[in-house]
Each structure stands twice: as C-alpha cells, then as structure tokens.
Amino acid sequence: PRGGPAAITGGPRAAGEDGGGVSGLLRRLGRVEDSRQRAAELFRWLLAPVAPSEFLGQHWERAPLLVRRSDPGYYAGLFSTADLDAALRGGEVHFGTHLDVTSYAEGVRETHNPSGRALPAVVWDFYQNGCSLRLLCPQAFSPTVWHFLSILQEQFGSMVGANTYLTPPGTQGFAPHYDDIEAFVLQLEGKKHWRVYSPRTDAEVLPPLSSANLTQAELGEPVLETVLEAGDLLYFPRGFIHQGDCLPDAHSLHITVSSYQRNSWGDLLEKLLPAALQMALEEDVEYRRGLPMDYLGYMGVANSDAADARRTAFMEKVQSLIKRLVNYAPIDAAVDQMAKSFLHDCLPPVLTQSEKAQSIYGFPARWQDGGPRDVDIQITKDTEIRLLRHGIVRLCNEEAGVMLYYTTENSRVYHKEEPKFLELDPEYIDSIEFLLSSYPNHISVGNLPCETLEEKISLATLLFEKGILTTKKPLVQV
C-alpha cells in the first residue's frame, strides 16, 4: 500500500545536563546499559515528535514523512561545513573515492571529479562556481557521524550508511531519481526545496536497484513539495523519486542516513533457495531422477500453446518438486548468512571512556624503564565479563565449522577490511549463547558453560583480546 505524505510539526526540546545537540545526546545514550535500547532511543530521537510505532505503521516502506521542528539546533554537532573543510585539509579525501563534484543544469547531470586528492583550493573553487559536493562516507572523517551510525545500525539490523551534500545557493546538484535505500534526510544548515514523487509503476515500488537519472517530463506531480530548514527531517521509501534544489538566498548542507539496501524477503530467498536445492539433491532421489527422454519435443516456448497431456504432467512434476523444496530450506542458516553480511557491513563500535578502560583498548601494556609492563591479561574464574554490545557477534554454522563473526575490527570505510571471524570449537557454542542471553548483565567467567576452568578462561581471554568482551572493572589498576 502506498499512502500519502504526512507533515508533523514539533516544538523545541529541552536540553539535559549533558548539553544540547548531538554530542549531549550521545553522552546520554552512553549511559544506557543495553545497546539495543540505546539504538531504540536514538531512533526515537531521530523521528521525534513522531512515535516510532506510528512511523513504522504508516510510513516505513509506504509513504514520505516530513517533520518540521522549528529548531535549527536539533542536529547541532552532528556534521557541519566546517567539518567538511577540516576533512579536506586533513589530506585523506580523494575525488571519486570519497568526494563527488556534481552539477545539474538544464536537465543535464554532470560529474566533475578530477583525479587524486581533493585539495581545499580546488574543491572550494568548484563550489564557488555552482557545483554541489557529495561526501560519500562522512563516518570515515567525522567521529560523531561514526558514533551516530554505529548505534543506529543495531535498530535496523541492516547496514546504516550516510552521505553529506553541500549545495550552493540557487543550484541543484542531482537529476531526479529514485534509490534502493530507505532515506532519512537531516537538514543540517541552510535550507533546500524538495519535491518527492510516488513510484510510477508497481515494478518501481520498493525497487531492488536505483534508477537512472530521470527527466522532468517523466515525473508527473509531486506528492510532497516543501522547503526543509535546519533541524527538519524528511523520510522517503525506496522507489520514491526525489529532487532537491537550493533557493537563491541560502546554501544547504544535509546528511542522508540510509538503510535497508538489499534487505528484502527476495534477498533472503536468494541465499536460501540454492542451499535448499543442494540439500534436496543430497537427501531426496526424486531431484536426482533424469528428465523424460522426449521432453524437448513437447516443452519449451515453441510448444507452449500445444494441448498435450505430457506437458501437463511435466508442469505438475516441476511444481511438486518446488513445493517439496520447502522441506529442505535451511531458513535459520540463510538468516545467519544475511547476518554475516550485515556484520561485514557494520561500522565498528565507538567506546565510551569507561568501556575503553574495561576493554583491551584501554589495557595498559606498555614499554617502560627498559622493558614491557602490564602485559599479562589476568582473567580468573571470578572476573566479571559481558559482551561490549549485543549486536557485535554472530554465530554461523558453516561447512568449515562454527564461525563467530564480529565487528570490533571492522573499518570505518565500507568493506575496506575482509569479514572478521574466529573459528570456534563446538564446545564453546553454549558459552557464546550464554553471553548473548545474559547481556547486558555481567557474568563471572566461572559461570560460563564450558567443561573445564581452563577452557572458560581461555575463551574469555580470546574474546577479550578481540575487543568483544569488557570486564566489570579494569583488569589492571594503573
């Protein structure tokens, strides 16, 4: 079902003792013990004053939502033009890889990327001449955006990414198009005029791929037309065509937070069906029997109009084999494969100061007075431990054995690293499940369901060294 857009107006919010803006919000969330609850709180803040239940019931995958807040400071501290400038001067931003220079004029969309490093003088010259700047992975350059997205990804159970767009006054950077992601546009600075259009055909509802650039003539009437101001939010589902342009009197900086790329039932079935077929071939002789010798004579497009009892029997046989396939569908294993892909997509967690002190990242091993100091990780049966976050590990049963995938060593740049995993002995599976079910509470190492104390300590030490576990108190008092 496709609904019409809704516009909600919210009043200003009260700032707590942590200060306002995003930094204060992240500090408050840092005190929430459970990472799942932390993600839910951040999602609630993102949509406020719209309740998440109302959003999920009426808008998610269905219809655009506009939230006007009349609060220019709502996103303060998340990302700014000054942050973009600092990233350029940091020397790590490259054209094409991290930054696109684009323009859209008289129906023509162009990319103007030179090669190599994006030098401030070159970038700001493009901007001054009316080009838009798209930073493709602000989370790699902004610790705040990284922190924000790394919490939110646990709410969606699907990769959460972001792009930032800086557009000069009176210009448009991109042609109208639709995307293959759920998009949340957060207006950070200035203002921007947006037009959003419904999917044009049933095939464009929740499309698996983004569209090519579209022309104005292909669009029809917008279902939503608005000017976003700093602090406002605009959500639209995948398949909704959109275009934004700047008014003559103001520049615009917005960040688009995106999720749910390739996260549909169809994507799950793409993993599930080949595995089901492989299992059926191994276990059921019906799938291994030969095709009828003469089937080429009555099947195929050339024979599709023929009235032939053999055709009917052939069709029924195929249908019955497809129906039986359900019995071989390893649904949980396919879900674990989706989860494994998600964990590879994930941003690594951002640690609070206290989490750092209680993890390997705050461990005080160092060189001092001519030798290494505080090197030994002294975990005993009484050490109290817990997972750093609920969503940072996934157990997968694979042909090679039981793998524990984890996110703590991921990169802030998408897929810059290979997936990280540990191969576990089967006797450790119960302990991982126990750690997951006891989260966010601490448990003592002695209570892990391994056979021997030696195994309990060795598993805890391994997980601690990978940053997966934290201890209730720092292991070494410095």
Side-chain angles (χ1 to χ4, degrees), residues 373-407:
R373 293 276 178 278
D374 292 326
V375 176
D376 295 334
I377 296 173
Q378 298 285 359
I379 288 179
T380 69
K381 72 177 188 347
D382 300 319
T383 306
E384 292 186 86
I385 54 170
R386 69 165 211 183
L387 292 172
L388 172 66
R389 301 272 185 283
H390 189 268
I392 59 170
V393 291
R394 188 78 187 191
L395 269 176
C396 293
N397 212 340
E398 300 184 353
E399 279 178 31
V402 180
M403 304 297 176
L404 183 72
Y405 288 87
Y406 62 95
T407 66

Side-chain angles (χ1 to χ4, degrees), residues 427-428 445-446 448-459:
E427 59 262 28
Y428 288 138
V445 171
L448 285 172
C450 299
E451 297 256 315
T452 66
L453 179 60
E454 192 186 359
E455 282 177 354
K456 297 176 192 201
I457 289 174
S458 106
L459 177 65

Side-chain angles (χ1 to χ4, degrees), residues 20-295:
V22 174
S23 315
L25 169 74
L26 293 173
R27 273 196 294 277
R28 285 194 294 283
L29 292 175
R31 291 202 287 275
V32 176
E33 280 297 305
D34 190 329
S35 60
R36 293 164 295 188
Q37 198 184 330
R38 207 178 292 178
E41 290 289 331
L42 183 53
F43 188 53
R44 187 172 295 126
W45 176 90
L46 182 67
L47 298 169
V50 178
S53 56
E54 183 191 329
F55 170 75
L56 294 169
Q58 294 175 24
H59 297 280
W60 177 250
E61 293 193 327
R62 284 190 179 89
L65 171 70
L66 168 65
V67 180
R68 293 193 178 291
R69 294 206 173 94
S70 308
D71 181 359
Y74 196 77
Y75 304 123
L78 179 57
F79 193 81
S80 66
T81 313
D83 293 331
L84 174 59
D85 185 57
L88 294 174
R89 284 183 288 114
E92 297 296 315
V93 181
H94 286 74
F95 287 115
T97 314
H98 310 117
L99 185 79
D100 284 331
V101 177
T102 67
S103 64
Y104 177 74
E106 291 164 17
V108 180
R109 150 88 159 84
E110 290 185 90
T111 302
H112 307 276
N113 293 340
S115 59
R117 188 184 145 191
L119 293 159
V122 179
V123 173
W124 293 123
D125 185 53
F126 274 122
Y127 176 81
Q128 199 168 292
N129 284 301
C131 291
S132 285
L133 307 175
R134 170 170 65 178
L135 187 63
L136 295 164
C137 48
Q139 58 273 24
F141 304 101
S142 159
T144 312
V145 175
W146 166 29
H147 196 171
F148 188 88
L149 300 179
S150 73
I151 294 174
L152 204 53
Q153 64 195 5
E154 205 163 334
Q155 171 69 25
F156 288 99
S158 167
M159 179 189 163
V160 177
N163 289 334
T164 62
Y165 299 83
L166 179 67
T167 313
T171 68
Q172 179 168 336
F174 291 86
H177 64 282
Y178 61 74
D179 292 312
D180 59 350
I181 45 130
E182 299 300 300
F184 298 84
V185 175
L186 286 58
Q187 188 70 28
L188 304 175
E189 294 173 10
K191 50 190 177 180
K192 196 168 213 179
H193 168 233
W194 282 89
R195 284 166 288 175
V196 181
Y197 309 78
S198 281
R200 298 169 300 175
T201 63
D202 286 349
E204 288 182 1
V205 176
L206 305 177
L209 297 169
S210 298
S211 73
N213 292 331
L214 303 170
T215 64
Q216 298 295 334
E218 294 175 271
L219 297 186
E221 288 303 304
V223 286
L224 178 82
E225 182 161 9
T226 187
V227 174
L228 276 196
E229 304 200 6
D232 293 348
L233 170 83
L234 172 62
Y235 159 80
F236 43 85
R238 49 198 197 278
F240 275 74
I241 299 163
H242 51 278
Q243 58 179 331
D245 59 276
C246 269
L247 304 170
D249 59 339
H251 81 289
S252 164
L253 177 71
H254 77 262
I255 186 167
T256 299
V257 173
S258 63
S259 191
Y260 261 59
Q261 191 173 42
R262 299 205 57 96
N263 202 44
S264 68
W265 288 102
D267 294 303
L268 174 66
L269 290 172
E270 274 188 358
K271 290 192 166 19
L272 178 61
L273 292 176
L277 190 55
Q278 190 183 344
M279 211 170 278
L281 280 163
E282 284 170 20
E283 294 183 17
D284 188 337
V285 71
E286 286 306 307
Y287 290 87
R288 304 196 298 268
R289 292 194 195 286
L291 291 160
M293 268 186 205
D294 56 350
Y295 83 105

Side-chain angles (χ1 to χ4, degrees), residues 312-372:
T312 313
F314 193 95
M315 294 291 197
E316 284 170 356
K317 179 67 179 176
V318 170
Q319 284 166 358
S320 83
L321 288 173
I322 289 173
K323 280 193 187 120
R324 280 170 79 146
L325 209 50
V326 174
N327 304 323
Y328 301 99
I331 298 171
D332 284 317
V335 167
D336 284 339
Q337 291 305 307
M338 292 288 283
K340 166 183 160 181
S341 298
F342 166 48
L343 259 66
H344 187 205
D345 295 344
C346 272
L347 284 161
V350 177
L351 278 64
T352 63
Q353 284 311 109
S354 64
E355 283 174 337
K356 221 171 234 171
Q358 292 146 7
S359 77
I360 188 74
Y361 299 110
F363 201 75
R366 65 202 178 281
W367 180 271
Q368 192 183 328
D369 303 330

